[in-house]
Amino acid sequence: MAAPRTPHPARKVLGRLSLPERTVVADALRTETVGGLLLLVAAVAALLWANIPALRSSYESLSHLHFGPGALGLHLSVAHWAADGLLAVFFFVAGIELKRELVAGDLRDPRAAVLPVVAALCGMAVPALVYTFTNLTGGGSLQGWAVPTATDIAFALAVLAVIGTSLPSALRAFLLTLAVVDDLIAILIIAVFFTDRIDFPALGGAAAGLVVFWLLLRKGVRGWYVYVPLGAVIWALMYNSGVHATIAGVAMGLMLRCTTREGEEHAPGERIAHLVRPLSAGLAVPLFALFSAGVKVSGGALVDVFTRPETLGVVLGLVLGKTLGIFGGTWLTARFTRASLSEDLAWADVFAVATLAGIGFTVSLLIGELAFDGQPVLTDEVKASVLIGSLLAALCATVLLKLRNAKYRGLCAEEERDEDQDGIPDVYEEDDPAYHLRMARIYEDKAAEHRRLAAEKAEAARHGL
C-alpha cells in the first residue's frame, strides 16, 4: 500500500521580501516618492497657470511654442517635446525596471509572477470594460477606452507620503511590480492602437540603431558620450516612423543587462537606472505634467465630467474599474492557485492598495492626448476627468489606508528592528544561530548593567545619599 502523499504547504502571497529585493525596492520607491511630490507640485502649478486669467495666455503661448530642426521632422511644440521626448526617459527607466523584474525580481519566478501579472491585467481590462460599457450605454465614443487603464506609481507614492502612511514593504513591492507590468501593457497599447501611419525606412533605421545599441552593450563598450547620441538618433527615427517615440526608450531599457557578473557589485542596468531615475522622476515627468495637466476648470466643466459618457467612463474606470480589477485579480489568483495571504495582512489591505492604484496620472494623460488627437475640447475634458478620477481614488485610498495605519506602523517597525545593530533587520536573521548568540550576549550585558546600577543605587541609599 502506497504511503499517503504529504500535501505541500500553502504558498503565501504578499509575504516578506528577501533582503536584497527589499533594498532594491526601497531605493526605487524613495526616488519615486520624491518625484511624485514634484509631480503633485507640477500638476497644481499647471492648473493654476492655466486658470488664472492674467497668466493663462502665457501658459498657452509657451505650450504651443515650437522649436527644433524642421528638416529632421522635429520642429515640435514645447508640450509635444515634453510628451514625446521627456517621457522617453520615463519609459527608458520603466524598461530597465521591467527587465530587472524579469531576470532578478518577482517576475523571474513564474509562480510568484502570476499574482502581479494577473492583477495588472485585470486592473487594466476591467477599467477598459467599465469605460466601454459606460460609452455604449451613453452613446459616447469608444476612442478613450485605454485612458483609465494606467497606474501612476509616483503619484500613488506621493499620496502615501502626504498622508503619512507607511505601507509594509510587501505591499509597496506589489504596487511597484503592478506599475511595472502596467507600464509594459500601456506601451504595447500605445504601439498597437495609436500608430496611424508607419514610415518603414524610418522604422528600419530605428531598428538598425537598436541593433547597434545592443551590439555595443554586448561588446562592453562604455561611455555616455556613445550611448546618449545614439539613443537620440534612435528616438528621432522612431518618432518619424509614426510609432510613438517613447517605444524607443523602453526598447533601449530592456536591452540593458540587469544581472551581476563575477566581480560586480551592481548590474549595469541597476547602476544606470540609479543614475537616470532621478532625472526621470525629478525632471521629465514633472515637466510633462506641467504642460499636460493645464486644463481649464470651471463649474460647468466639472459638471460635464460627470454627464458626458467619455469623461464619466474615465472617472468610473479609474475609481471603480481599477479597484475591482486589481482586487478581483489578486483574490482569484490566490483562490485558484491555493495560495494564502500572508498572515501579517488582510484582504482589506489589498483592497486599499487596489484603490490607490486607481491614480492614473502620467500615462493616462498621454493616452488621452493620443486617443482624442485633433479634438482639443474633448482632450481637455478627458484630461480633467483623469485629474478628478485620480483625486477621487486618492481620497478613497486615504480613508482606507488610514483605518489600518496603526497596523502598518507596527509591521514597518518590526521590519526595521535591528537590536544587535549589525545593519541587517532582525527578522532576516531569526533562523541564524549566530544571531541568537549575539542577542543572548546583548541581553546578558543589559542584565549585568541593570544589576550594577541597582547595586550602586542600593549602596547610595545605605549611605543616605
Side-chain angles (χ1 to χ4, degrees):
M1 180 176 175
R5 183 177 298 175
T6 303
H8 293 289
R11 186 172 62 86
K12 298 290 184 182
V13 297
L14 300 182
R16 185 186 306 136
L17 303 177
S18 66
L19 185 58
E21 183 71 6
R22 180 178 179 272
T23 303
V24 171
V25 168
D27 179 60
L29 294 181
R30 191 178 302 112
T31 304
E32 293 289 357
T33 300
V34 175
L37 293 172
L38 292 175
L39 184 62
L40 282 173
V41 172
V44 172
L47 288 170
L48 292 175
W49 196 356
N51 286 279
I52 296 176
L55 301 176
R56 184 181 301 156
S57 61
S58 64
Y59 179 81
E60 293 177 352
S61 298
L62 182 58
S63 295
H64 294 99
L65 175 66
H66 282 66
F67 67 95
L72 300 178
L74 298 175
H75 188 65
L76 311 176
S77 68
V78 170
H80 210 156
W81 276 111
D84 286 293
L86 292 178
L87 279 194
V89 179
F90 166 79
F91 279 109
F92 174 69
V93 175
I96 298 175
E97 289 174 343
L98 176 63
K99 178 69 172 290
R100 198 202 71 80
E101 287 286 343
L102 288 170
V103 300
D106 287 344
L107 301 182
R108 176 182 55 180
D109 179 3
R111 293 176 72 239
V114 168
L115 180 69
V117 169
V118 172
L121 287 171
C122 293
M124 300 189 82
V126 176
L129 291 173
V130 168
Y131 177 94
T132 302
F133 177 78
T134 304
N135 281 269
L136 285 177
T137 56
S141 168
L142 300 182
Q143 289 175 273
W145 64 269
V147 175
T149 60
T151 292
D152 195 308
I153 183 64
F155 214 134
L157 293 172
V159 170
L160 291 178
V162 169
I163 66 177
T165 296
S166 297
L167 281 183
S169 59
L171 285 177
R172 287 177 175 260
F174 177 61
L175 187 60
L176 179 61
T177 307
L178 269 178
V180 169
V181 179
D182 195 293
D183 286 340
L184 171 65
I185 300 172
I187 291 162
L188 294 175
I189 288 173
I190 290 170
V192 173
F193 295 99
F194 297 104
T195 299
D196 296 328
R197 60 169 184 85
I198 295 182
D199 184 321
F200 286 101
L203 184 60
L210 288 171
V211 170
V212 172
F213 189 89
W214 180 76
L215 289 173
L216 291 174
L217 290 173
R218 292 275 293 179
K219 294 292 185 181
V221 176
R222 296 188 176 186
W224 64 267
Y225 45 84
V226 174
Y227 292 102
V228 171
L230 177 59
V233 170
I234 294 170
W235 174 87
L237 288 168
M238 189 69 75
Y239 175 82
N240 282 288
S241 74
V243 177
H244 201 270
T246 53
I247 306 299
V250 75
M252 287 184 279
L254 286 169
M255 290 181 180
L256 293 175
R257 178 167 57 83
C258 293
T259 53
T260 56
R261 292 176 178 169
E262 187 176 353
E264 289 182 337
E265 184 177 357
H266 300 289
E270 183 181 342
R271 188 171 60 251
I272 292 171
H274 181 76
L275 293 173
V276 179
R277 188 179 287 113
L279 175 64
S280 169
L283 180 66
V285 175
L287 280 178
F288 166 75
L290 182 65
F291 291 105
S292 187
V295 296
K296 296 177 184 177
V297 178
S298 64
L302 293 178
V303 170
D304 288 344
V305 165
F306 295 97
T307 57
R308 184 162 187 161
E310 292 90 350
T311 50
L312 179 61
V314 170
V315 173
L316 293 178
L318 289 172
V319 179
L320 295 180
K322 271 289 182 183
T323 303
L324 297 177
I326 292 173
F327 179 79
T330 305
W331 186 86
L332 289 172
T333 301
R335 174 71 176 81
F336 287 104
T337 59
R338 297 182 180 179
S340 61
L341 191 65
S342 170
E343 56 272 7
D344 292 332
L345 301 173
W347 284 108
D349 302 315
V350 180
F351 189 85
V353 169
T355 304
L356 187 67
I359 299 173
F361 189 77
T362 305
V363 179
S364 289
L365 290 175
L366 175 63
I367 294 177
E369 291 182 353
L370 297 173
F372 297 101
D373 186 32
Q375 304 175 67
V377 174
L378 187 52
T379 298
D380 280 352
E381 290 178 347
V382 167
K383 286 183 179 181
S385 68
V386 170
L387 297 176
I388 292 171
S390 298
L391 177 61
L392 291 175
L395 292 175
C396 293
T398 297
V399 173
L400 295 173
L401 293 170
K402 279 295 186 182
L403 293 174
R404 300 277 292 170
N405 203 24
K407 174 71 172 178
Y408 297 151
R409 281 199 301 266
L411 291 174
C412 290
E414 180 64 17
E415 288 180 356
E416 297 293 337
R417 180 170 56 85
D418 184 18
E419 293 186 13
D420 59 347
Q421 298 182 347
D422 64 345
I424 301 175
D426 294 342
V427 292
Y428 292 97
E429 300 181 293
E430 290 173 349
D431 295 330
D432 183 3
Y435 163 77
H436 292 287
L437 180 60
R438 288 197 304 273
M439 292 305 300
R441 289 172 178 168
I442 290 172
Y443 291 139
E444 185 179 327
D445 291 342
K446 288 182 178 179
E449 179 68 11
H450 180 73
R451 289 194 297 270
R452 185 185 66 79
L453 292 174
E456 289 179 356
K457 186 176 181 180
E459 183 71 17
R462 280 199 300 271
H463 290 83
L465 298 176

